Amino acid sequence: MRLKDKRALVTGGSRGIGKAIVFELAANGCNVVFTYRSSAEAAKKIEEEADKFGVKIFGFQADAANFLEAEKTVNFTLEKLGGLDILVNNAGITKDNLLLRMSEDDFDKVIAANLKSVFNYTKASVKPMVGQRYGKIVNVSSVVALIGNPGQANYVASKAGVIGFTKSVAKELASRNINVNAVAPGYISTDMTEKLNDKQKEAIINLIPVKRIGTPEDVAKVVTFLASSDSDYLTGQVIPVDGGMAM
């Protein structure tokens, strides 16, 4: 229970990695508000499932790319939880295509959802954290931000931007006792990777030294470490959770 009575906000927390992060934080005693874009039913189910942890869990519908909605989410969190200690910027989308076929709209939407959202929620969350002189911010980037990936110029650009943002804000906030770090997941078993056929999965596994695709829980455990006091001497760091793929 290393996060007992802490208060967290997780964006994009209704499925995949985000959902695993919500549950892992809750299992460690943390009260959590999570955002979702459209599935109120999925959000309600998470609230019900999380009852077993004996903590407060609230879903909040918001568009992470909209700054005003980010402010509303933070205000909701402060109202429901009484404060904010941990922010996990996990919200993101993909709109993959080769550069020559990629539309300007698809590029802009991915940058807004994956990178501007990190700005939105970090800016909205920093004020209460600065006031209490404590905070943990964990940004979810991607291993492709470190190595590139054909057909994902928009996604890779957004996730590489998250790394640069992480390092810059870490330097700004270190003197206020606020740690800012990032995780860079590799191939993780989510809705997106489940669409791959067996041949595609085998090709991916051959690129991973530990010879398996990761789980959302693999990522959630590292996020929880970064959200805890165990990481007090880490800031501005990017931790790949990729089975050794990018080393």
Side-chain angles (χ1 to χ4, degrees), residues 60-82:
F60 188 83
Q61 188 170 19
D63 177 2
N66 185 304
F67 181 71
L68 292 179
E69 293 192 23
E71 286 190 314
K72 289 179 182 177
T73 311
V74 171
N75 289 335
F76 175 85
T77 303
L78 297 174
E79 176 190 339
K80 292 294 186 180
L81 304 185

mmCIF file with all atom_site columns, all heavy atoms in Angstrom, residues 60-82:
data_model
loop_
_atom_site.group_PDB
_atom_site.id
_atom_site.type_symbol
_atom_site.label_atom_id
_atom_site.label_alt_id
_atom_site.label_comp_id
_atom_site.label_asym_id
_atom_site.label_entity_id
_atom_site.label_seq_id
_atom_site.pdbx_PDB_ins_code
_atom_site.Cartn_x
_atom_site.Cartn_y
_atom_site.Cartn_z
_atom_site.occupancy
_atom_site.B_iso_or_equiv
_atom_site.pdbx_formal_charge
_atom_site.auth_seq_id
_atom_site.auth_comp_id
_atom_site.auth_asym_id
_atom_site.auth_atom_id
_atom_site.pdbx_PDB_model_num
ATOM 1   N N   . PHE A 1 60 ? -14.523 10.368 -15.405 1.00 0.00 ? 60 PHE A N   1
ATOM 2   C CA  . PHE A 1 60 ? -14.936 11.710 -15.821 1.00 0.00 ? 60 PHE A CA  1
ATOM 3   C C   . PHE A 1 60 ? -14.766 11.820 -17.331 1.00 0.00 ? 60 PHE A C   1
ATOM 4   O O   . PHE A 1 60 ? -13.677 11.605 -17.855 1.00 0.00 ? 60 PHE A O   1
ATOM 5   C CB  . PHE A 1 60 ? -14.088 12.773 -15.111 1.00 0.00 ? 60 PHE A CB  1
ATOM 6   C CG  . PHE A 1 60 ? -14.577 14.182 -15.327 1.00 0.00 ? 60 PHE A CG  1
ATOM 7   C CD1 . PHE A 1 60 ? -15.599 14.694 -14.545 1.00 0.00 ? 60 PHE A CD1 1
ATOM 8   C CD2 . PHE A 1 60 ? -14.011 14.997 -16.299 1.00 0.00 ? 60 PHE A CD2 1
ATOM 9   C CE1 . PHE A 1 60 ? -16.062 15.999 -14.734 1.00 0.00 ? 60 PHE A CE1 1
ATOM 10  C CE2 . PHE A 1 60 ? -14.455 16.291 -16.500 1.00 0.00 ? 60 PHE A CE2 1
ATOM 11  C CZ  . PHE A 1 60 ? -15.491 16.796 -15.710 1.00 0.00 ? 60 PHE A CZ  1
ATOM 12  N N   . GLN A 1 61 ? -15.850 12.137 -18.020 1.00 0.00 ? 61 GLN A N   1
ATOM 13  C CA  . GLN A 1 61 ? -15.809 12.226 -19.471 1.00 0.00 ? 61 GLN A CA  1
ATOM 14  C C   . GLN A 1 61 ? -15.169 13.530 -19.912 1.00 0.00 ? 61 GLN A C   1
ATOM 15  O O   . GLN A 1 61 ? -15.596 14.613 -19.497 1.00 0.00 ? 61 GLN A O   1
ATOM 16  C CB  . GLN A 1 61 ? -17.216 12.106 -20.065 1.00 0.00 ? 61 GLN A CB  1
ATOM 17  C CG  . GLN A 1 61 ? -17.228 12.005 -21.582 1.00 0.00 ? 61 GLN A CG  1
ATOM 18  C CD  . GLN A 1 61 ? -18.606 11.652 -22.118 1.00 0.00 ? 61 GLN A CD  1
ATOM 19  O OE1 . GLN A 1 61 ? -19.616 11.818 -21.437 1.00 0.00 ? 61 GLN A OE1 1
ATOM 20  N NE2 . GLN A 1 61 ? -18.650 11.154 -23.338 1.00 0.00 ? 61 GLN A NE2 1
ATOM 21  N N   . ALA A 1 62 ? -14.137 13.435 -20.742 1.00 0.00 ? 62 ALA A N   1
ATOM 22  C CA  . ALA A 1 62 ? -13.432 14.637 -21.187 1.00 0.00 ? 62 ALA A CA  1
ATOM 23  C C   . ALA A 1 62 ? -12.642 14.344 -22.450 1.00 0.00 ? 62 ALA A C   1
ATOM 24  O O   . ALA A 1 62 ? -12.181 13.221 -22.671 1.00 0.00 ? 62 ALA A O   1
ATOM 25  C CB  . ALA A 1 62 ? -12.496 15.149 -20.097 1.00 0.00 ? 62 ALA A CB  1
ATOM 26  N N   . ASP A 1 63 ? -12.477 15.371 -23.258 1.00 0.00 ? 63 ASP A N   1
ATOM 27  C CA  . ASP A 1 63 ? -11.610 15.325 -24.429 1.00 0.00 ? 63 ASP A CA  1
ATOM 28  C C   . ASP A 1 63 ? -10.243 15.841 -23.995 1.00 0.00 ? 63 ASP A C   1
ATOM 29  O O   . ASP A 1 63 ? -10.082 17.029 -23.698 1.00 0.00 ? 63 ASP A O   1
ATOM 30  C CB  . ASP A 1 63 ? -12.189 16.197 -25.542 1.00 0.00 ? 63 ASP A CB  1
ATOM 31  C CG  . ASP A 1 63 ? -11.303 16.260 -26.777 1.00 0.00 ? 63 ASP A CG  1
ATOM 32  O OD1 . ASP A 1 63 ? -10.249 15.588 -26.785 1.00 0.00 ? 63 ASP A OD1 1
ATOM 33  O OD2 . ASP A 1 63 ? -11.663 16.996 -27.711 1.00 0.00 ? 63 ASP A OD2 1
ATOM 34  N N   . ALA A 1 64 ? -9.258  14.953 -23.940 1.00 0.00 ? 64 ALA A N   1
ATOM 35  C CA  . ALA A 1 64 ? -7.939  15.325 -23.418 1.00 0.00 ? 64 ALA A CA  1
ATOM 36  C C   . ALA A 1 64 ? -7.277  16.424 -24.228 1.00 0.00 ? 64 ALA A C   1
ATOM 37  O O   . ALA A 1 64 ? -6.417  17.153 -23.718 1.00 0.00 ? 64 ALA A O   1
ATOM 38  C CB  . ALA A 1 64 ? -7.035  14.095 -23.365 1.00 0.00 ? 64 ALA A CB  1
ATOM 39  N N   . ALA A 1 65 ? -7.660  16.583 -25.488 1.00 0.00 ? 65 ALA A N   1
ATOM 40  C CA  . ALA A 1 65 ? -7.056  17.602 -26.346 1.00 0.00 ? 65 ALA A CA  1
ATOM 41  C C   . ALA A 1 65 ? -7.604  19.001 -26.091 1.00 0.00 ? 65 ALA A C   1
ATOM 42  O O   . ALA A 1 65 ? -7.095  19.968 -26.645 1.00 0.00 ? 65 ALA A O   1
ATOM 43  C CB  . ALA A 1 65 ? -7.259  17.230 -27.814 1.00 0.00 ? 65 ALA A CB  1
ATOM 44  N N   . ASN A 1 66 ? -8.615  19.111 -25.233 1.00 0.00 ? 66 ASN A N   1
ATOM 45  C CA  . ASN A 1 66 ? -9.276  20.391 -24.965 1.00 0.00 ? 66 ASN A CA  1
ATOM 46  C C   . ASN A 1 66 ? -8.823  20.914 -23.604 1.00 0.00 ? 66 ASN A C   1
ATOM 47  O O   . ASN A 1 66 ? -9.085  20.290 -22.572 1.00 0.00 ? 66 ASN A O   1
ATOM 48  C CB  . ASN A 1 66 ? -10.791 20.187 -24.997 1.00 0.00 ? 66 ASN A CB  1
ATOM 49  C CG  . ASN A 1 66 ? -11.559 21.482 -24.838 1.00 0.00 ? 66 ASN A CG  1
ATOM 50  O OD1 . ASN A 1 66 ? -11.380 22.214 -23.875 1.00 0.00 ? 66 ASN A OD1 1
ATOM 51  N ND2 . ASN A 1 66 ? -12.434 21.774 -25.794 1.00 0.00 ? 66 ASN A ND2 1
ATOM 52  N N   . PHE A 1 67 ? -8.169  22.083 -23.586 1.00 0.00 ? 67 PHE A N   1
ATOM 53  C CA  . PHE A 1 67 ? -7.618  22.600 -22.335 1.00 0.00 ? 67 PHE A CA  1
ATOM 54  C C   . PHE A 1 67 ? -8.699  22.925 -21.307 1.00 0.00 ? 67 PHE A C   1
ATOM 55  O O   . PHE A 1 67 ? -8.527  22.655 -20.110 1.00 0.00 ? 67 PHE A O   1
ATOM 56  C CB  . PHE A 1 67 ? -6.773  23.849 -22.597 1.00 0.00 ? 67 PHE A CB  1
ATOM 57  C CG  . PHE A 1 67 ? -6.167  24.415 -21.339 1.00 0.00 ? 67 PHE A CG  1
ATOM 58  C CD1 . PHE A 1 67 ? -5.135  23.761 -20.690 1.00 0.00 ? 67 PHE A CD1 1
ATOM 59  C CD2 . PHE A 1 67 ? -6.660  25.589 -20.790 1.00 0.00 ? 67 PHE A CD2 1
ATOM 60  C CE1 . PHE A 1 67 ? -4.592  24.259 -19.515 1.00 0.00 ? 67 PHE A CE1 1
ATOM 61  C CE2 . PHE A 1 67 ? -6.122  26.106 -19.619 1.00 0.00 ? 67 PHE A CE2 1
ATOM 62  C CZ  . PHE A 1 67 ? -5.079  25.434 -18.981 1.00 0.00 ? 67 PHE A CZ  1
ATOM 63  N N   . LEU A 1 68 ? -9.816  23.489 -21.737 1.00 0.00 ? 68 LEU A N   1
ATOM 64  C CA  . LEU A 1 68 ? -10.882 23.823 -20.803 1.00 0.00 ? 68 LEU A CA  1
ATOM 65  C C   . LEU A 1 68 ? -11.441 22.578 -20.132 1.00 0.00 ? 68 LEU A C   1
ATOM 66  O O   . LEU A 1 68 ? -11.765 22.593 -18.933 1.00 0.00 ? 68 LEU A O   1
ATOM 67  C CB  . LEU A 1 68 ? -11.997 24.592 -21.519 1.00 0.00 ? 68 LEU A CB  1
ATOM 68  C CG  . LEU A 1 68 ? -11.637 25.999 -22.001 1.00 0.00 ? 68 LEU A CG  1
ATOM 69  C CD1 . LEU A 1 68 ? -12.826 26.635 -22.718 1.00 0.00 ? 68 LEU A CD1 1
ATOM 70  C CD2 . LEU A 1 68 ? -11.201 26.881 -20.823 1.00 0.00 ? 68 LEU A CD2 1
ATOM 71  N N   . GLU A 1 69 ? -11.532 21.487 -20.892 1.00 0.00 ? 69 GLU A N   1
ATOM 72  C CA  . GLU A 1 69 ? -12.009 20.235 -20.310 1.00 0.00 ? 69 GLU A CA  1
ATOM 73  C C   . GLU A 1 69 ? -10.972 19.647 -19.350 1.00 0.00 ? 69 GLU A C   1
ATOM 74  O O   . GLU A 1 69 ? -11.324 19.005 -18.359 1.00 0.00 ? 69 GLU A O   1
ATOM 75  C CB  . GLU A 1 69 ? -12.386 19.240 -21.412 1.00 0.00 ? 69 GLU A CB  1
ATOM 76  C CG  . GLU A 1 69 ? -13.600 19.698 -22.205 1.00 0.00 ? 69 GLU A CG  1
ATOM 77  C CD  . GLU A 1 69 ? -14.188 18.626 -23.105 1.00 0.00 ? 69 GLU A CD  1
ATOM 78  O OE1 . GLU A 1 69 ? -13.963 17.421 -22.819 1.00 0.00 ? 69 GLU A OE1 1
ATOM 79  O OE2 . GLU A 1 69 ? -14.869 18.985 -24.081 1.00 0.00 ? 69 GLU A OE2 1
ATOM 80  N N   . ALA A 1 70 ? -9.700  19.878 -19.638 1.00 0.00 ? 70 ALA A N   1
ATOM 81  C CA  . ALA A 1 70 ? -8.645  19.442 -18.708 1.00 0.00 ? 70 ALA A CA  1
ATOM 82  C C   . ALA A 1 70 ? -8.788  20.185 -17.382 1.00 0.00 ? 70 ALA A C   1
ATOM 83  O O   . ALA A 1 70 ? -8.676  19.585 -16.296 1.00 0.00 ? 70 ALA A O   1
ATOM 84  C CB  . ALA A 1 70 ? -7.272  19.691 -19.317 1.00 0.00 ? 70 ALA A CB  1
ATOM 85  N N   . GLU A 1 71 ? -9.033  21.479 -17.457 1.00 0.00 ? 71 GLU A N   1
ATOM 86  C CA  . GLU A 1 71 ? -9.232  22.263 -16.226 1.00 0.00 ? 71 GLU A CA  1
ATOM 87  C C   . GLU A 1 71 ? -10.441 21.752 -15.447 1.00 0.00 ? 71 GLU A C   1
ATOM 88  O O   . GLU A 1 71 ? -10.393 21.645 -14.206 1.00 0.00 ? 71 GLU A O   1
ATOM 89  C CB  . GLU A 1 71 ? -9.411  23.738 -16.571 1.00 0.00 ? 71 GLU A CB  1
ATOM 90  C CG  . GLU A 1 71 ? -8.137  24.447 -16.991 1.00 0.00 ? 71 GLU A CG  1
ATOM 91  C CD  . GLU A 1 71 ? -8.322  25.948 -17.085 1.00 0.00 ? 71 GLU A CD  1
ATOM 92  O OE1 . GLU A 1 71 ? -9.335  26.375 -17.675 1.00 0.00 ? 71 GLU A OE1 1
ATOM 93  O OE2 . GLU A 1 71 ? -7.456  26.683 -16.580 1.00 0.00 ? 71 GLU A OE2 1
ATOM 94  N N   . LYS A 1 72 ? -11.519 21.433 -16.155 1.00 0.00 ? 72 LYS A N   1
ATOM 95  C CA  . LYS A 1 72 ? -12.716 20.904 -15.494 1.00 0.00 ? 72 LYS A CA  1
ATOM 96  C C   . LYS A 1 72 ? -12.409 19.573 -14.809 1.00 0.00 ? 72 LYS A C   1
ATOM 97  O O   . LYS A 1 72 ? -12.901 19.304 -13.700 1.00 0.00 ? 72 LYS A O   1
ATOM 98  C CB  . LYS A 1 72 ? -13.845 20.727 -16.511 1.00 0.00 ? 72 LYS A CB  1
ATOM 99  C CG  . LYS A 1 72 ? -14.456 22.023 -17.013 1.00 0.00 ? 72 LYS A CG  1
ATOM 100 C CD  . LYS A 1 72 ? -15.549 21.752 -18.039 1.00 0.00 ? 72 LYS A CD  1
ATOM 101 C CE  . LYS A 1 72 ? -16.125 23.049 -18.583 1.00 0.00 ? 72 LYS A CE  1
ATOM 102 N NZ  . LYS A 1 72 ? -17.155 22.791 -19.640 1.00 0.00 ? 72 LYS A NZ  1
ATOM 103 N N   . THR A 1 73 ? -11.593 18.749 -15.463 1.00 0.00 ? 73 THR A N   1
ATOM 104 C CA  . THR A 1 73 ? -11.237 17.453 -14.885 1.00 0.00 ? 73 THR A CA  1
ATOM 105 C C   . THR A 1 73 ? -10.439 17.633 -13.603 1.00 0.00 ? 73 THR A C   1
ATOM 106 O O   . THR A 1 73 ? -10.677 16.947 -12.601 1.00 0.00 ? 73 THR A O   1
ATOM 107 C CB  . THR A 1 73 ? -10.413 16.615 -15.877 1.00 0.00 ? 73 THR A CB  1
ATOM 108 O OG1 . THR A 1 73 ? -11.056 16.595 -17.151 1.00 0.00 ? 73 THR A OG1 1
ATOM 109 C CG2 . THR A 1 73 ? -10.270 15.179 -15.377 1.00 0.00 ? 73 THR A CG2 1
ATOM 110 N N   . VAL A 1 74 ? -9.482  18.532 -13.635 1.00 0.00 ? 74 VAL A N   1
ATOM 111 C CA  . VAL A 1 74 ? -8.666  18.787 -12.445 1.00 0.00 ? 74 VAL A CA  1
ATOM 112 C C   . VAL A 1 74 ? -9.539  19.339 -11.317 1.00 0.00 ? 74 VAL A C   1
ATOM 113 O O   . VAL A 1 74 ? -9.415  18.913 -10.155 1.00 0.00 ? 74 VAL A O   1
ATOM 114 C CB  . VAL A 1 74 ? -7.497  19.735 -12.770 1.00 0.00 ? 74 VAL A CB  1
ATOM 115 C CG1 . VAL A 1 74 ? -6.787  20.183 -11.490 1.00 0.00 ? 74 VAL A CG1 1
ATOM 116 C CG2 . VAL A 1 74 ? -6.514  19.052 -13.704 1.00 0.00 ? 74 VAL A CG2 1
ATOM 117 N N   . ASN A 1 75 ? -10.433 20.250 -11.633 1.00 0.00 ? 75 ASN A N   1
ATOM 118 C CA  . ASN A 1 75 ? -11.333 20.793 -10.607 1.00 0.00 ? 75 ASN A CA  1
ATOM 119 C C   . ASN A 1 75 ? -12.231 19.706 -10.028 1.00 0.00 ? 75 ASN A C   1
ATOM 120 O O   . ASN A 1 75 ? -12.491 19.683 -8.809  1.00 0.00 ? 75 ASN A O   1
ATOM 121 C CB  . ASN A 1 75 ? -12.186 21.924 -11.192 1.00 0.00 ? 75 ASN A CB  1
ATOM 122 C CG  . ASN A 1 75 ? -11.378 23.177 -11.466 1.00 0.00 ? 75 ASN A CG  1
ATOM 123 O OD1 . ASN A 1 75 ? -10.337 23.403 -10.847 1.00 0.00 ? 75 ASN A OD1 1
ATOM 124 N ND2 . ASN A 1 75 ? -11.841 23.992 -12.399 1.00 0.00 ? 75 ASN A ND2 1
ATOM 125 N N   . PHE A 1 76 ? -12.697 18.799 -10.880 1.00 0.00 ? 76 PHE A N   1
ATOM 126 C CA  . PHE A 1 76 ? -13.501 17.661 -10.418 1.00 0.00 ? 76 PHE A CA  1
ATOM 127 C C   . PHE A 1 76 ? -12.684 16.794 -9.466  1.00 0.00 ? 76 PHE A C   1
ATOM 128 O O   . PHE A 1 76 ? -13.174 16.344 -8.422  1.00 0.00 ? 76 PHE A O   1
ATOM 129 C CB  . PHE A 1 76 ? -13.974 16.845 -11.630 1.00 0.00 ? 76 PHE A CB  1
ATOM 130 C CG  . PHE A 1 76 ? -14.717 15.589 -11.289 1.00 0.00 ? 76 PHE A CG  1
ATOM 131 C CD1 . PHE A 1 76 ? -16.082 15.622 -11.033 1.00 0.00 ? 76 PHE A CD1 1
ATOM 132 C CD2 . PHE A 1 76 ? -14.063 14.363 -11.240 1.00 0.00 ? 76 PHE A CD2 1
ATOM 133 C CE1 . PHE A 1 76 ? -16.783 14.454 -10.723 1.00 0.00 ? 76 PHE A CE1 1
ATOM 134 C CE2 . PHE A 1 76 ? -14.748 13.191 -10.933 1.00 0.00 ? 76 PHE A CE2 1
ATOM 135 C CZ  . PHE A 1 76 ? -16.116 13.240 -10.671 1.00 0.00 ? 76 PHE A CZ  1
ATOM 136 N N   . THR A 1 77 ? -11.424 16.562 -9.820  1.00 0.00 ? 77 THR A N   1
ATOM 137 C CA  . THR A 1 77 ? -10.537 15.746 -8.985  1.00 0.00 ? 77 THR A CA  1
ATOM 138 C C   . THR A 1 77 ? -10.322 16.389 -7.615  1.00 0.00 ? 77 THR A C   1
ATOM 139 O O   . THR A 1 77 ? -10.400 15.720 -6.580  1.00 0.00 ? 77 THR A O   1
ATOM 140 C CB  . THR A 1 77 ? -9.171  15.552 -9.684  1.00 0.00 ? 77 THR A CB  1
ATOM 141 O OG1 . THR A 1 77 ? -9.383  14.957 -10.969 1.00 0.00 ? 77 THR A OG1 1
ATOM 142 C CG2 . THR A 1 77 ? -8.255  14.666 -8.854  1.00 0.00 ? 77 THR A CG2 1
ATOM 143 N N   . LEU A 1 78 ? -10.074 17.685 -7.611  1.00 0.00 ? 78 LEU A N   1
ATOM 144 C CA  . LEU A 1 78 ? -9.874  18.398 -6.352  1.00 0.00 ? 78 LEU A CA  1
ATOM 145 C C   . LEU A 1 78 ? -11.130 18.339 -5.482  1.00 0.00 ? 78 LEU A C   1
ATOM 146 O O   . LEU A 1 78 ? -11.049 18.189 -4.256  1.00 0.00 ? 78 LEU A O   1
ATOM 147 C CB  . LEU A 1 78 ? -9.489  19.848 -6.628  1.00 0.00 ? 78 LEU A CB  1
ATOM 148 C CG  . LEU A 1 78 ? -8.161  20.077 -7.365  1.00 0.00 ? 78 LEU A CG  1
ATOM 149 C CD1 . LEU A 1 78 ? -7.978  21.559 -7.697  1.00 0.00 ? 78 LEU A CD1 1
ATOM 150 C CD2 . LEU A 1 78 ? -6.978  19.547 -6.560  1.00 0.00 ? 78 LEU A CD2 1
ATOM 151 N N   . GLU A 1 79 ? -12.283 18.427 -6.137  1.00 0.00 ? 79 GLU A N   1
ATOM 152 C CA  . GLU A 1 79 ? -13.549 18.382 -5.400  1.00 0.00 ? 79 GLU A CA  1
ATOM 153 C C   . GLU A 1 79 ? -13.809 17.000 -4.813  1.00 0.00 ? 79 GLU A C   1
ATOM 154 O O   . GLU A 1 79 ? -14.185 16.859 -3.641  1.00 0.00 ? 79 GLU A O   1
ATOM 155 C CB  . GLU A 1 79 ? -14.698 18.768 -6.343  1.00 0.00 ? 79 GLU A CB  1
ATOM 156 C CG  . GLU A 1 79 ? -16.080 18.668 -5.711  1.00 0.00 ? 79 GLU A CG  1
ATOM 157 C CD  . GLU A 1 79 ? -17.203 18.828 -6.728  1.00 0.00 ? 79 GLU A CD  1
ATOM 158 O OE1 . GLU A 1 79 ? -16.952 19.394 -7.820  1.00 0.00 ? 79 GLU A OE1 1
ATOM 159 O OE2 . GLU A 1 79 ? -18.319 18.380 -6.431  1.00 0.00 ? 79 GLU A OE2 1
ATOM 160 N N   . LYS A 1 80 ? -13.611 15.955 -5.621  1.00 0.00 ? 80 LYS A N   1
ATOM 161 C CA  . LYS A 1 80 ? -13.952 14.595 -5.199  1.00 0.00 ? 80 LYS A CA  1
ATOM 162 C C   . LYS A 1 80 ? -12.895 13.970 -4.283  1.00 0.00 ? 80 LYS A C   1
ATOM 163 O O   . LYS A 1 80 ? -13.226 13.196 -3.376  1.00 0.00 ? 80 LYS A O   1
ATOM 164 C CB  . LYS A 1 80 ? -14.146 13.697 -6.422  1.00 0.00 ? 80 LYS A CB  1
ATOM 165 C CG  . LYS A 1 80 ? -15.362 14.039 -7.257  1.00 0.00 ? 80 LYS A CG  1
ATOM 166 C CD  . LYS A 1 80 ? -16.652 13.790 -6.484  1.00 0.00 ? 80 LYS A CD  1
ATOM 167 C CE  . LYS A 1 80 ? -17.875 13.997 -7.354  1.00 0.00 ? 80 LYS A CE  1
ATOM 168 N NZ  . LYS A 1 80 ? -19.138 13.765 -6.595  1.00 0.00 ? 80 LYS A NZ  1
ATOM 169 N N   . LEU A 1 81 ? -11.626 14.287 -4.518  1.00 0.00 ? 81 LEU A N   1
ATOM 170 C CA  . LEU A 1 81 ? -10.544 13.636 -3.767  1.00 0.00 ? 81 LEU A CA  1
ATOM 171 C C   . LEU A 1 81 ? -9.893  14.547 -2.730  1.00 0.00 ? 81 LEU A C   1
ATOM 172 O O   . LEU A 1 81 ? -9.118  14.092 -1.896  1.00 0.00 ? 81 LEU A O   1
ATOM 173 C CB  . LEU A 1 81 ? -9.470  13.105 -4.724  1.00 0.00 ? 81 LEU A CB  1
ATOM 174 C CG  . LEU A 1 81 ? -9.943  12.142 -5.826  1.00 0.00 ? 81 LEU A CG  1
ATOM 175 C CD1 . LEU A 1 81 ? -8.740  11.623 -6.610  1.00 0.00 ? 81 LEU A CD1 1
ATOM 176 C CD2 . LEU A 1 81 ? -10.752 10.983 -5.248  1.00 0.00 ? 81 LEU A CD2 1
ATOM 177 N N   . GLY A 1 82 ? -10.171 15.846 -2.817  1.00 0.00 ? 82 GLY A N   1
ATOM 178 C CA  . GLY A 1 82 ? -9.616  16.775 -1.842  1.00 0.00 ? 82 GLY A CA  1
ATOM 179 C C   . GLY A 1 82 ? -8.209  17.236 -2.140  1.00 0.00 ? 82 GLY A C   1
ATOM 180 O O   . GLY A 1 82 ? -7.580  17.925 -1.331  1.00 0.00 ? 82 GLY A O   1
#
